[in-house]
Amino acid sequence: DVEAQLLVADLDVSGGHVQDAFDRLIGLVARTTDDERDTVRERLLELFTVVGVADPRVAAARRALASALF
């Protein structure tokens, strides 16, 4: 369930488990298609902003996202 996974990722970030959230959503991007994939990608981009673009985990997650998308 995409919505449940998004909620868990939000909770992960709020609880300080940033890498877990990123890994969860990047894996979900790889397993979904079309509108679901776009929804997950957009949430991941939102979380990048929440965490801060200067955070090294964001840079690594952006690369992993690009790999999952292509």
Side-chain angles (χ1 to χ4, degrees):
D1 180 14
V2 170
E3 288 302 317
Q5 294 298 315
L6 296 175
L7 179 59
V8 172
D10 290 347
L11 292 172
D12 280 342
V13 169
S14 68
H17 301 282
V18 172
Q19 192 62 53
D20 290 341
F22 289 171
D23 291 344
R24 174 182 306 283
L25 294 185
I26 291 165
L28 195 54
V29 163
R31 294 187 309 272
T32 55
T33 59
D34 303 324
D35 289 341
E36 285 186 336
R37 179 181 247 190
D38 286 338
T39 298
V40 176
R41 182 188 56 78
E42 288 171 7
R43 178 64 58 86
L44 191 52
L45 295 176
E46 290 171 3
L47 293 180
F48 290 166
T49 301
V50 168
V51 172
V53 294
D55 189 301
R57 295 172 294 188
V58 171
R62 283 187 186 276
R63 288 188 297 275
L65 175 60
S67 293
L69 288 169
F70 305 105

